[in-house]
Amino acid sequence: MLALAITAGVSAQQKSEAQAAINNIMTRTSIRQYTDETVSKADIETMLRAGMAAPTAVNRQPWHFVAVTDKAKLAELAGRRGGMIKQAGVAIVVCGNMDKAMQGPGQAFWVQDCSAATENILLAANAIGLGAVWTGCYPMGDRVAEVSKTLKLPETIVPLCVIAIGHPAEQPAPKDKWKPENVSYNEFGGKAE
């Protein structure tokens, strides 16, 4: 696991909390197999609160979340995506609310805002012992249409993704995705000093 460098002026408690946060990020994996155990309403609310704590351009908060717990609706929502959504204890559909999005060229910031919310939900799920996987909808028109129809979304609500969440029935090892060649300093191709 990635160990934090000792930083002057940081208390032992702050370092411990920081290490726990980094460990949560580094151990998050995509979980596609779930047990039959239900996901509690309290856990769903915790994840939704985490999603709503995400950064957002000019604080527009252009998101809407649809939490799907009904097994028949989960099966319908799974469609061509496969068993992971059907098997999930809950699916959280992260949507952009175009009525809250910025107007003009900045409207597309809703994608960034909702992506940040999605990552917060994934990290919250991992932190509370659940497994989750992000499945994309937007910008694939057929997926957007399918999810919109299933959830009866109005035209102003655009599904970005469906997050399948449940109690993990698998424990894949986290991947080390660190690649120094993907980092530049000060300008493209610049080396660390």
Side-chain angles (χ1 to χ4, degrees), residues 1 111 156:
M1 198 47 44
V111 175
T156 58

Side-chain angles (χ1 to χ4, degrees), residues 12 14 17 32 50 52 90 126 138 161 166 176 182 185-186 193:
Q14 288 171 315
E17 290 170 359
R32 294 173 173 85
M52 291 183 199
V90 61
N126 189 56
Y138 183 86
C161 64
D176 183 356
N182 291 340
Y185 288 85
N186 300 313
E193 297 174 11

Side-chain angles (χ1 to χ4, degrees), residues 1 22-34 84 118-119 121-127 129-135 163-177:
M1 198 47 44
I22 295 296
N23 287 346
N24 188 47
I25 292 167
M26 301 305 285
T27 60
R28 191 215 60 79
T29 61
S30 294
I31 303 295
R32 294 173 173 85
Q33 299 290 323
Y34 311 102
M84 59 193 160
T118 299
E119 181 66 5
I121 292 167
L122 293 169
L123 291 171
N126 189 56
L130 296 172
V133 63
W134 176 337
T135 66
I163 309 170
I165 304 166
H167 293 271
E170 61 177 347
Q171 296 295 326
K175 297 178 179 117
D176 183 356
K177 298 179 183 179

